[in-house]
Amino acid sequence: MNFLPAAVTALHLLVLLLFFIATLDKGWWVLPDSQGLNLWYDCAPQNRSQGWECSSLGLSPLLRGVQGLVVSSLLLSALGLLLFLGQLLLGPRGRLLLAPATAQLLAGLAALLGAGLFVAGGDRASGGRPGHCPVLAGLGGALALVSGGGYLRLRTRD
């Protein structure tokens, strides 16, 4: 019995869960007072009041880019799962899973690039630190690359 389709499906669901949590959780940036912020808030230190000024929409181009990359990785991963299940269940026998593999590989690259850009963003270095969500996005991105590579080895209903 071939367990590879089930393993790839489980890996893909794990990747999708990691992307979903990373996109919505409040752990992208941790302020010095241990308050966590999600990806949709842009905070900057205020020199006069020694506090933080936060806007609900990220106004910096870097943050907008990270938001787009992380949401794209979530959508591409969901599309990859749907393509995989559709081709596995309804597609002709013996064909390579190139469409789902491409979607997973692009999702992984987008997540890794988004997490890397967020962590490397220099304007946030004056206070606070990155939280656990960039790590989750990076882990999900790496697993998406593994999953996409697994698709390339898998043929439908062998």
Side-chain angles (χ1 to χ4, degrees):
M1 185 169 212
N2 189 0
F3 291 106
L4 191 58
V8 171
T9 303
L11 181 61
H12 187 83
L13 290 172
L14 176 65
V15 167
L16 199 56
L17 180 68
L18 287 173
F19 286 161
F20 189 75
I21 292 170
T23 303
L24 297 178
D25 198 14
K26 283 188 160 192
W28 278 89
W29 191 256
V30 179
L31 297 175
D33 61 356
S34 297
Q35 177 187 2
L37 299 173
N38 63 15
L39 189 57
W40 311 104
Y41 281 91
D42 189 17
C43 295
Q46 296 299 310
N47 291 336
R48 291 177 296 213
S49 66
Q50 300 298 323
W52 290 84
E53 180 180 328
C54 298
S55 60
S56 63
L57 281 179
L59 299 176
S60 74
L62 177 76
L63 188 59
R64 293 248 177 180
V66 172
Q67 290 169 348
L69 286 167
V70 172
V71 169
S72 296
S73 68
L74 179 64
L75 294 175
L76 282 167
S77 183
L79 176 67
L81 176 63
L82 292 175
L83 288 171
F84 172 68
L85 292 176
Q87 191 171 350
L88 186 66
L89 299 174
L90 305 173
R93 292 178 182 234
R95 298 209 40 207
L96 289 175
L97 300 164
L98 293 178
T102 302
Q104 274 298 91
L105 292 172
L106 289 174
L109 290 174
L112 288 173
L113 184 60
L117 282 174
F118 186 83
V119 171
D123 58 338
R124 295 178 172 265
S126 59
R129 59 179 171 79
H132 64 276
C133 285
V135 174
L136 289 177
L139 178 63
L143 289 174
L145 292 176
V146 168
S147 176
Y151 284 144
L152 295 176
R153 293 177 162 230
L154 184 65
R155 291 182 179 266
T156 56
R157 294 188 280 175
D158 282 322

